[in-house]
Amino acid sequence: MLMTGDQYIESLRKLNTRVYMFGEKIDNWVDHPIIRPSINCLAMTYELAKDPQYADLMTAKSNLTGQTINRFAHLHQSTDDLKKKVKMQRLLGQKTASCFQRCVGMDAFNAVFSTTYEIDQKCGTNYHKNFTEYLKYVQENDLTVDGAMTDAKGDRGLSPSQQKDPDVFVHIVERRADGIVVKGVKVHQTGSINSHEHLVMPTMALSEADKDFAVSFSCPSDAPGLFMVYGRQSCDTRKLEDGADVDLGNRKFGGQEALVVFDNVFVPNENIYLCGEAEFAGVMVERFAGYHRQSYGGCKVGVGDVVIGAAALAADYNGASKASHVKDKLIEMTHLNETLYCCGIACSSEGYPTAAGNYQIDLLLANVCKQNVTRFPYEIVRLAEDIAGGLMVTMPSEKDFKSDLVCGENGETLGDICNKYFVGSAVCSTEDRMRILRFLENICLGSSAVGYRTESMHGAGSPQAQRIMIARQGNIESKKQLAKNIAGIK
Ligand code: SF4
Ligand code: FE
């Protein structure tokens, strides 16, 4: 059953999710002005799936049930599926200019599905069946799941078992006949509060000494002992201002990250997908990270499309669109953005089937994709700020532009003064000029910068994590041999 966006939002109200923000427990978090844009944004993954014009990208036929499901709950069955995933993410980036959050679950499904198959083959465990049954439940109910990987990690120089406080990594604190009890946290979890479920994976490759940290499981967002603390964003309290609109830049949509706390959460046996098989932690991490690095070749490109459009509009509204340097900057932004898309499509096209049957992306190309994402959006934003001009950060507030307060000698209001002096080209109203500049402020420096800039740096792993993978996958020895062959070195 595919939910509509509204049905998804209503389904969140049925959960007893425990949320904290600004030192308080937030009971009606679904309607909270700071949180709601991230819920609206995720709701678009439901809304577009209901729109026939996007059915090919947004939905797929489940290989588990034969039913039509949202692509966010799909196990990729071909390289074509992998490419459609990237195209779907670009589409959603274009429609929201934000992080729409649901991809972490999709990437976790695909990583856990193939890894559990291989664990069962080697260890005789039952994880793959557990996970397959769970995924059917997710698909049938069209659920959103937070794919949770990043632990707090404490002292980065120490392994999990060497930490003074082991809780800085999620770990098993008790093994019972009917399940396990887990404790610890996952940090900066995208879309975690507005997910129905959490699918937890280890954060890194682990050795036998750290086997209590080699744990993967799922649980509902309102499981006893689970609670979340909302991560604040730059300019977030603007959303609390009365009648806030223009000053928000992106009034409707936003991203969301939270601290997810597992305070002795019980997980029944059927929801366990890894429990002590330390040698498989690294495989699970590498696959999830690979998929999520592919994802950035879609979502960030879609947001980039909106940034480029906004910069071009700012140039129009400033009356500067005919300047050759402005045209050239827009070309450069497009070149950078499409290069990211090329990477997303390339690692998908070079995908291959896993032993479990779902498709994995090309790891080297996915890591190159994400490495580029740690750089190009920064340059795109730099060029957007260059084109927009300083007004995007010095303009008076929306309240001033709308004020009736008389302040001029001839009875002009504060609003009259602002609207008179911030006029741009005749093609736009002063308000439209404000709107596009505030949008650029929001995406370059405000709350949406979390999703477009810093998430481009650290989401799906910080740059160094990709460099390690590029070193591992780059095969320098075979390249040396190529040079030897041609240079005549024996
Ligand atoms: Fe999806 Fe991109 Fe957000 Fe990750 S950063 S959840 S890939 S939109
Ligand atoms: Fe992310």
Side-chain angles (χ1 to χ4, degrees):
M1 179 205 68
L2 290 176
M3 279 197 270
T4 63
D6 286 340
Q7 285 168 337
Y8 155 70
I9 293 171
E10 288 313 304
S11 72
L12 296 176
R13 297 186 198 280
K14 296 192 186 111
L15 289 164
N16 247 328
T17 308
R18 196 159 34 121
V19 178
Y20 296 91
M21 180 167 54
F22 297 149
E24 287 173 12
K25 183 161 177 284
I26 310 293
D27 289 325
N28 182 8
W29 54 270
V30 175
D31 297 312
H32 195 288
I34 290 186
I35 302 178
R36 187 52 181 261
S38 61
I39 298 174
N40 293 338
C41 198
L42 206 152
M44 288 295 278
T45 69
Y46 289 89
E47 218 33 52
L48 295 191
K50 286 281 192 182
D51 188 334
Q53 65 174 310
Y54 301 125
D56 186 46
L57 288 188
M58 295 298 307
T59 62
K61 190 173 160 208
S62 168
N63 63 305
L64 302 177
T65 65
Q67 299 294 310
T68 298
I69 54 166
N70 193 300
R71 188 175 292 282
F72 280 97
H74 187 49
L75 294 166
H76 316 301
Q77 297 299 301
S78 61
T79 54
D80 196 44
D81 266 351
L82 289 170
K83 283 186 279 187
K84 281 183 179 163
K85 172 196 160 184
V86 170
K87 291 179 185 184
M88 168 179 76
Q89 290 167 313
R90 184 171 188 170
L91 172 71
L92 274 153
Q94 291 171 341
K95 297 285 188 190
T96 62
S98 286
C99 163
F100 35 88
Q101 309 147 54
R102 202 172 169 187
C103 328
V104 278
M106 164 177 58
D107 292 341
F109 299 149
N110 279 278
V112 174
F113 183 79
S114 65
T115 311
T116 50
Y117 182 88
E118 289 162 37
I119 306 170
D120 287 1
Q121 293 284 305
K122 182 149 185 217
C123 307
T125 42
N126 212 24
Y127 300 143
H128 191 64
K129 183 166 168 291
N130 286 353
F131 184 71
T132 306
E133 288 307 313
Y134 174 68
L135 190 57
K136 278 189 208 164
Y137 163 74
V138 168
Q139 291 181 346
E140 278 160 14
N141 293 284
D142 202 10
L143 300 180
T144 290
V145 178
D146 162 36
M149 180 158 281
T150 311
D151 284 295
K153 298 203 207 79
D155 182 336
R156 271 63 174 170
L158 300 175
S159 74
S161 56
Q162 291 167 341
Q163 300 285 335
K164 201 163 117 202
D165 180 357
D167 296 347
V168 294
F169 286 85
V170 170
H171 63 124
I172 304 160
V173 288
E174 194 187 335
R175 288 179 164 84
R176 296 186 193 163
D178 55 346
I180 54 172
V181 177
V182 295
K183 190 166 167 66
V185 297
K186 292 291 182 183
V187 296
H188 29 82
Q189 285 307 301
T190 297
S192 48
I193 290 170
N194 43 353
S195 286
H196 303 98
E197 291 268 326
H198 298 259
L199 173 54
V200 170
M201 298 159 283
T203 203
M204 60 190 199
L206 296 166
S207 68
E208 204 46 33
D210 293 325
K211 68 179 174 28
D212 285 346
F213 302 83
V215 62
S216 173
F217 61 89
S218 61
C219 65
S221 286
D222 57 357
L226 196 161
F227 57 91
M228 292 173 265
V229 188
Y230 200 86
R232 79 170 307 176
Q233 299 168 339
S234 180
C235 308
D236 51 6
T237 49
R238 282 193 195 186
K239 298 186 176 93
L240 301 176
E241 292 170 11
D242 259 356
D245 173 12
V246 179
D247 280 358
L248 300 182
N250 187 347
R251 187 163 63 99
K252 193 159 178 211
F253 302 117
Q256 173 205 109
E257 269 78 25
L259 173 73
V260 182
V261 183
F262 298 88
D263 192 14
N264 292 315
V265 172
F266 174 72
V267 181
N269 283 331
E270 61 268 25
N271 292 120
I272 299 174
Y273 317 118
L274 175 76
C275 187
E277 295 78 8
E279 63 180 300
F280 286 96
V283 181
M284 203 179 264
V285 172
E286 194 173 284
R287 288 188 187 168
F288 171 77
Y291 284 124
H292 210 51
R293 289 168 194 174
Q294 167 209 25
S295 287
Y296 277 45
C299 75
K300 298 297 179 248
V301 180
V303 180
D305 287 327
V306 190
V307 177
I308 294 167
L313 280 174
D316 289 347
Y317 295 176
N318 289 344
S321 55
K322 292 210 173 68
S324 62
H325 73 95
V326 169
K327 286 185 196 158
D328 192 58
K329 281 165 190 156
L330 291 170
I331 293 168
E332 179 65 10
M333 292 163 85
T334 306
H335 161 74
L336 292 168
N337 204 41
E338 297 300 335
T339 303
L340 299 179
Y341 186 56
C342 292
C343 294
I345 292 296
C347 69
S348 306
S349 305
E350 294 289 293
Y352 58 92
T354 64
N358 63 332
Y359 270 63
Q360 178 72 35
I361 43 74
D362 181 280
L363 268 182
L364 175 60
L365 298 185
N367 277 278
V368 169
C369 177
K370 174 68 218 310
Q371 181 79 185
N372 284 335
V373 174
T374 67
R375 298 172 179 165
F376 297 178
Y378 283 80
E379 180 63 8
I380 290 171
V381 158
R382 190 184 76 79
L383 292 165
E385 288 185 29
D386 181 348
I387 293 171
L391 191 57
M392 63 176 258
V393 291
T394 61
M395 197 169 33
S397 74
E398 165 177 17
K399 284 205 168 88
D400 296 312
F401 276 87
K402 292 178 177 165
S403 172
D404 291 333
L405 188 73
V406 175
C407 58
E409 277 211 347
N410 296 317
E412 301 99 328
T413 63
L414 196 50
D416 293 335
I417 296 290
C418 289
N419 282 291
K420 172 180 163 78
Y421 288 109
F422 289 111
V423 75
S425 151
V427 302
C428 68
S429 64
T430 309
E431 181 178 317
D432 285 348
R433 187 166 176 238
M434 271 173 75
R435 281 190 183 275
I436 212 65
L437 294 177
R438 284 291 180 212
F439 171 74
L440 284 166
E441 180 203 26
N442 175 254
I443 198 111
C444 300
L445 311 156
S447 56
S448 291
V450 179
Y452 191 56
R453 283 178 44 140
T454 316
E455 193 174 51
S456 287
M457 181 64 79
H458 294 293
S462 306
Q464 193 56 27
Q466 289 112 53
R467 299 186 83 77
I468 290 167
M469 286 302 294
I470 291 169
R472 226 188 272 163
Q473 304 273 326
N475 205 348
I476 295 291
E477 287 310 314
S478 79
K479 293 182 169 74
K480 281 189 198 165
Q481 193 55 50
L482 294 175
K484 280 184 182 172
N485 293 347
I486 292 180
I489 299 169
K490 289 254 154 45

